Amino acid sequence: MTTVNGQQPQTLFEKVWNNHLVRPQTDSAPAVLYIDLHLIHEVTSPQAFTQLRERGLKVRRPQNTLGTMDHSTPTTPRGLDGIIPVADAQASAQLDVMRKNCADFGIPLFELGTENQGIVHVIGPEQGLTQPGMTIVCGDSHTSTHGAFGALAFGIGTSEVAHVLATQCLLQNKPKTMAIRVDGRLSEGVVAKDIILAIIAKIGVGGGTGHVFEYMGEAIRGLSMEGRMTICNMSIEGGARAGMVAPDDTTFEYVAGRPHAPKGADWDAAVAAWRQLPTDDGATFDAEVVLDADALVPMITYGTNPGMGMSITDRVPDPDRMGDLSQKQALDKALRYMDLQPGQPLLGKPVDVVFIGSCTNSRITDLRLAAQMLDGRKVADNLRVMVVPGSQQVKAQAEAEGLDEIFKAAGAEWREAGCSMCIAMNGDQLQAGQYAVSTSNRNFEGRQGKGGRTFLASPLTAAATALNGVITDPRQIITERELA
Amino acid sequence: MEPIRTFDGKVAALPINDIDTDQIIPARFLKVTDKAGLGEALFSDWRFNSDGSPKPDFVLNQPEHQGSSVLVAGRNFGCGSSREHAPWALVGAGFKAVISTDFADIFRNNALKNGLLPIAVDEETQQQLFSLVAEDPQTQVTVDLEAQTITLPDGRQVTFPIDNFAKHCLLNGVDQLGFLLGLETDISAYEDSHTARTQTTAV
Ligand code: SF4
């Protein structure tokens, strides 16, 4: 076997894993993994702090912990007093508990309405806290987002949140690795979201269970950091807890100059170390998946999990043509919930809401894509279009670029930062029976409001749909414009 | 946590693949700051109509399935979010084990920390359990964690995998946080030899 400097070739994942072993895995105990950065939010942390209090424990490393408020926070525009009103008493109480926990344990908190607040997976990269080679966890499954920087980042449960708060460590069994290679180049109108929807449609929602993905290939290298984040974000929808992209110049340029990025000589040393992280030649993966970006078109989901996706020009599949009985039953159930017929096209299907936001697609490049589509036009009548920036920083940047004016002039709502209708905990929700095209990551039954029905798609497809009020292929609008 | 060894449990079946945590407990129930009462929200949107009345055809609402403590479900149970509220809700509703062919990673980890056994069996056993419960809603299985077996009503024993550490913790009621706290020397040694990467408290 080939060796690099006398060592076995290693994957990116293995390098980061090995660098963080406080104790290796044995037959009788999992590995003890050191965590560099722990992000917390109001929904999955309260019971962990309760456990700490019950046992008289402190937070071991408040300086490696950061809190934000995002899930149950309102995104309604501020009142005249500049305050964002929390309408729901239970949510308000949860936010109070978050404030108290962070204050009592010395954890910095991006408080609702302040300049850095935002969705937990948007703020980490934005602040330069998310860096290559780190281990990052959060009580939130979309922590996989941070893997775009070549970090090992994954979601944990609340018991594990308590473990990390108290010890900065986690007990983990070593996962397997899966290489996901996306060769070729994307055509116009096709973006990162379409790549990841196509991958999940191919492998299924359980396809990556037990694995960490590494996304590679020309199409991935060609993506911006924000595009890579969109892809890593949805690794969990393919069953993988984590997805990673090897750091490169695109990564370093993105991190450079951010508030928490290393400076001066530290920066040079950091970059030199980061350049050692990519997977060595000859390293092996436990599984491999290959996708051709040249053949990709805009994607959309038709069912009730993110694996039920297809090209936007396809027709809804027929349960009777499913090979396996349980797949047939699953599709039957999904189509009943979605009230769709086998063989039906989705193009031209009227929708009630378009939601542009979430930790998948609420960053500045996502908003720019949507704004380009909507610039100088009006969204369709009888359609609610919500644009929810991922953070206050994204919001400020968008406003500096005048994107907010484009959205408002088009008839879309320009809102405060938060998770909003991605998870429908804060009052932003679909009504039963409504259809939405959403740039978020989950189309589970009721995810965006009880009885609501979600089609997942890219910000381009969402904005194109907003213009027509019916599901629209963004390439159609792009072509019409070029001809005009 | 109470140690677990063996128990007999009545089985309820949800033969649906990819049951996600949004179904197990919808997000609107996550605004709590403790674990109390989550059992009542288990499978809420499948169990209740909008007016709060129970849907009579949902399995957990059927009189013959009251008191079930083992749930057998379709593959890839617990996919989706990391919410530990999912096992809390299952435990709150009286479940001690979930049987499927496979589990989403985070759900499995969360379940094990709450004394809820995720029992992975082959597809044949899963299908057999679905049929047994369809024929006889009183179907019971015996779960033996020490031996890592479930015993079906016909006496057939099926083994299931569980990692040694999780098994040890469950059998002895060992708390994992306590275990980690005991590694103070190793953790400090790691910290001494690795400088912290970022300071959230700075800036
Ligand atoms: S935006 Fe949606 S997926 Fe992302 S952290 Fe918030 S609720 Fe979770």
Side-chain angles (χ1 to χ4, degrees):
Chain A
M1 179 167 244
T2 29
T3 58
V4 177
N5 302 330
Q7 291 202 324
Q8 292 291 337
Q10 291 183 321
T11 61
L12 165 64
F13 160 75
E14 285 162 338
K15 293 180 194 186
V16 181
W17 175 269
N18 290 337
N19 279 342
H20 289 86
L21 287 178
V22 171
R23 274 193 174 193
Q25 189 165 334
T26 64
D27 278 348
S28 60
V32 179
L33 198 68
Y34 195 80
I35 302 305
D36 293 322
L37 177 65
H38 185 197
L39 302 167
I40 59 173
H41 64 70
E42 73 276 18
V43 177
T44 53
S45 65
Q47 297 86 349
F49 284 104
T50 303
Q51 215 190 335
L52 257 56
R53 285 200 178 89
E54 281 168 3
R55 301 171 69 139
L57 297 169
K58 291 193 304 194
V59 171
R60 184 180 181 91
R61 306 275 300 177
Q63 69 271 39
N64 298 131
T65 313
L66 175 67
T68 189
M69 298 178 166
D70 52 5
H71 283 66
S72 56
T73 54
T75 62
T76 36
R78 287 165 201 254
L80 291 175
D81 49 6
I83 306 241
I84 307 171
V86 185
D88 172 339
Q90 209 185 4
S92 175
Q94 191 173 53
L95 297 175
D96 284 342
V97 168
M98 182 72 183
R99 279 180 199 107
K100 177 165 170 42
N101 286 336
C102 288
D104 288 359
F105 290 90
I107 297 169
L109 171 66
F110 289 175
E111 167 74 70
L112 178 61
T114 58
E115 60 175 359
N116 291 327
Q117 175 267 342
I119 304 175
V120 65
H121 312 307
V122 176
I123 59 162
E126 191 167 81
Q127 295 297 321
L129 286 164
T130 299
Q131 297 173 15
M134 290 174 75
T135 46
I136 302 176
V137 298
C138 172
D140 195 285
S141 60
H142 293 101
T143 308
S144 59
T145 311
H146 308 259
F149 292 79
L152 175 61
F154 52 90
I156 56 178
T158 297
S159 297
E160 291 177 318
V161 170
H163 295 180
V164 181
L165 287 173
T167 69
Q168 206 61 29
C169 288
L170 274 179
L171 289 158
Q172 290 291 299
N173 289 311
K174 190 175 179 181
K176 294 188 198 146
T177 53
M178 186 184 292
I180 300 190
R181 179 183 301 283
V182 190
D183 296 320
R185 288 191 193 196
L186 295 175
S187 333
E188 173 140 49
V190 187
V191 290
K193 183 66 164 286
D194 301 308
I195 297 181
I196 188 64
L197 286 173
I199 291 169
I200 301 164
K202 183 172 172 131
I203 65 172
V205 284
T209 303
H211 292 78
V212 167
F213 292 156
E214 182 178 338
Y215 301 98
M216 53 179 72
E218 186 188 1
I220 302 294
R221 294 261 74 85
L223 291 174
S224 68
M225 282 317 294
E226 302 200 342
R228 294 178 190 180
M229 282 188 253
T230 298
I231 290 190
C232 287
N233 173 273
M234 290 190 70
S235 303
I236 181 74
E237 309 316 332
R241 285 179 80 186
M244 304 173 83
V245 174
D248 59 11
D249 289 336
T250 305
T251 320
F252 310 145
E253 272 163 36
Y254 185 95
V255 177
R258 292 188 179 265
H260 287 274
K263 310 267 177 321
D266 287 347
W267 170 258
D268 297 334
V271 172
W274 296 342
R275 287 199 192 278
Q276 304 303 312
L277 288 171
T279 294
D280 298 325
D281 288 341
T284 53
F285 290 83
D286 297 298
E288 185 168 324
V289 170
V290 179
L291 203 81
D292 178 12
D294 293 308
L296 271 187
V297 303
M299 297 287 296
I300 194 159
T301 61
Y302 51 83
T304 51
N305 72 48
M308 295 180 174
M310 64 181 193
S311 300
I312 197 165
T313 48
D314 279 353
R315 288 164 182 268
V316 173
D318 185 346
D320 288 337
R321 294 201 182 166
M322 290 281 156
D324 142 346
L325 179 68
S326 68
Q327 258 181 307
K328 171 184 155 34
Q329 288 167 340
L331 183 55
D332 262 329
K333 183 173 188 298
L335 297 189
R336 239 178 297 129
Y337 182 83
M338 295 295 289
D339 195 19
L340 295 172
Q341 303 305 316
Q344 171 183 358
L346 287 185
L347 284 176
K349 165 118 192 124
V351 301
D352 306 286
V353 174
V354 167
F355 172 71
I356 298 172
S358 90
C359 58
T360 317
N361 282 126
S362 65
R363 297 180 183 81
I364 191 69
T365 47
D366 301 312
L367 301 188
R368 285 181 193 142
L369 280 178
Q372 271 167 26
M373 203 41 97
L374 297 178
D375 194 5
R377 311 226 167 172
K378 288 262 178 220
V379 307
D381 293 338
N382 303 324
L383 179 71
R384 180 177 189 197
V385 180
M386 301 169 73
V387 185
V388 185
S391 68
Q392 292 294 339
Q393 292 284 315
V394 171
K395 181 166 184 269
Q397 175 69 26
E399 289 174 355
E401 295 178 18
L403 306 186
D404 59 323
E405 294 304 330
I406 294 176
F407 293 129
K408 287 190 269 189
E413 297 171 32
W414 176 243
R415 300 178 70 93
E416 291 293 326
C419 297
S420 183
M421 205 190 271
C422 171
I423 190 163
M425 281 186 72
N426 71 337
D428 300 343
Q429 63 189 60
L430 295 176
Q431 303 304 312
Q434 281 191 321
Y435 286 101
V437 166
S438 174
T439 67
S440 56
N441 43 47
R442 288 188 173 143
N443 51 351
F444 297 145
E445 288 181 26
R447 169 75 179 191
Q448 296 197 276
K450 187 172 176 175
R453 298 160 174 155
T454 301
F455 301 111
L456 300 175
S458 77
L460 275 181
T461 302
T465 299
L467 288 174
N468 290 348
V470 300
I471 294 177
T472 301
D473 187 334
R475 295 172 302 175
Q476 180 205 327
I477 307 263
I478 294 169
T479 318
E480 282 169 12
R481 288 212 180 154
E482 281 166 0
L483 294 177
Chain B
M1 199 165 57
E2 288 295 302
I4 307 177
R5 289 191 176 267
T6 69
F7 58 89
D8 295 333
K10 193 159 90 170
V11 185
L14 267 179
I16 299 170
N17 290 345
D18 305 311
I19 294 177
D20 60 80
T21 54
D22 277 87
Q23 306 320 310
I24 300 171
I25 182 156
R28 62 182 182 279
F29 297 106
L30 310 186
K31 285 182 256 179
V32 294
T33 51
D34 59 14
K35 306 175 189 178
L38 291 173
E40 278 133 61
L42 179 70
F43 293 116
S44 188
D45 290 352
W46 287 353
R47 230 163 111 201
F48 302 106
N49 293 306
S50 307
D51 63 3
S53 61
K55 296 184 181 179
D57 52 350
F58 184 68
V59 50
L60 300 185
N61 290 333
Q62 292 163 351
E64 58 273 31
H65 287 295
Q66 297 313 304
S68 297
S69 62
V70 176
L71 183 70
V72 53
R75 68 174 174 238
N76 192 32
F77 185 85
C79 63
S81 108
S82 64
R83 62 190 71 163
E84 200 160 318
H85 308 69
W88 293 338
L90 283 157
V91 170
F95 286 96
K96 295 180 174 174
V98 183
I99 302 176
S100 175
T101 51
D102 58 329
F103 295 87
D105 293 325
I106 309 181
F107 177 84
R108 183 181 356 88
N109 284 345
N110 285 342
L112 287 167
K113 291 191 178 59
N114 290 279
L116 177 71
L117 271 184
I119 298 179
V121 297
D122 56 83
E123 203 177 323
E124 189 193 330
T125 305
Q126 177 202 37
Q127 294 302 327
Q128 188 184 352
L129 279 165
F130 287 153
S131 320
L132 283 167
V133 178
E135 282 158 29
D136 176 9
Q138 299 304 325
T139 296
Q140 293 221 357
V141 293
T142 303
V143 176
D144 183 339
L145 175 59
E146 179 102 62
Q148 295 180 224
T149 57
I150 52 173
T151 308
L152 307 186
D154 61 4
R156 185 162 82 95
Q157 282 199 339
V158 183
T159 57
F160 62 87
I162 181 166
D163 82 70
N164 291 337
F165 183 73
K167 179 176 174 178
H168 167 78
C169 292
L170 290 168
L171 283 174
N172 301 296
V174 172
D175 122 75
Q176 299 192 7
L177 177 52
F179 177 87
L180 278 170
L181 288 165
L183 301 180
E184 172 58 37
T185 324
D186 302 72
I187 301 172
S188 293
Y190 181 92
E191 285 174 342
D192 291 344
S193 57
H194 294 76
T195 41
R197 296 288 296 278
T198 54
Q199 294 273 327
T200 54
T201 39
V203 179

